[in-house]
Amino acid sequence: GHRNTGEDWSPEAKLAVVIETASMSEAELSAYCREKGLYPEQVQRWKEACLQGAGMQDERQKAVQKQQREARKTIKKLKSEVRRKDKALAETTSLLVLSKKLEALYGEDPDSGEDN
């Protein structure tokens, strides 16, 4: 029959082989490979590729986490700036309100209270 060299195996199938054979001795691996029509060197290559892939994912994960941290920092900074502006705005508003109240109390017209 057609000897399957394993090159047309799906990534999932390759990963399954790597996982299955991870704890095998060399003799067990040889028997397993014969049974599956594979070569131990192939399995070794797949294993290395998997590990490399995992390492790359780690790197990516780290990069993503770094970006998220940066983003969170930026958001925090923006929020505190907004809060600061809000506070300043609130103070300005209350000063305006206060000055309006004072105007209402004392009247803009200095002569208004002197008829009494």
Side-chain angles (χ1 to χ4, degrees), residues 17-18 21 29 33 38-47:
V17 168
V18 169
T21 58
L29 180 59
C33 287
L38 295 172
Y39 300 102
E41 308 85 74
Q42 275 180 315
V43 176
Q44 192 54 43
R45 264 211 311 280
W46 295 352
K47 189 188 207 161

Side-chain angles (χ1 to χ4, degrees), residues 21 23-35 40:
T21 58
S23 56
M24 287 185 185
S25 68
E26 241 173 278
E28 287 173 314
L29 180 59
S30 294
Y32 177 93
C33 287
R34 256 202 311 282
E35 192 185 312

Side-chain angles (χ1 to χ4, degrees), residues 56-108:
M56 270 158 47
Q57 266 173 331
D58 271 3
E59 287 303 307
R60 260 206 300 279
Q61 198 60 35
K62 278 201 201 87
V64 167
Q65 280 168 349
K66 186 165 179 276
Q67 281 171 338
Q68 285 173 339
R69 262 203 310 276
E70 299 287 322
R72 270 200 296 270
K73 235 185 335 203
T74 306
I75 289 169
K76 214 165 134 184
K77 207 172 83 182
L78 287 173
K79 274 188 180 165
S80 70
E81 273 176 32
V82 167
R83 262 202 303 275
R84 212 172 37 242
K85 286 189 183 129
D86 274 356
K87 208 166 147 235
L89 190 63
E91 282 167 12
T92 309
T93 306
S94 49
L95 285 174
L96 275 172
V97 168
L98 187 62
S99 67
K100 285 253 178 5
K101 278 184 182 159
L102 289 174
E103 277 173 13
L105 270 177
Y106 298 110
E108 281 132 294

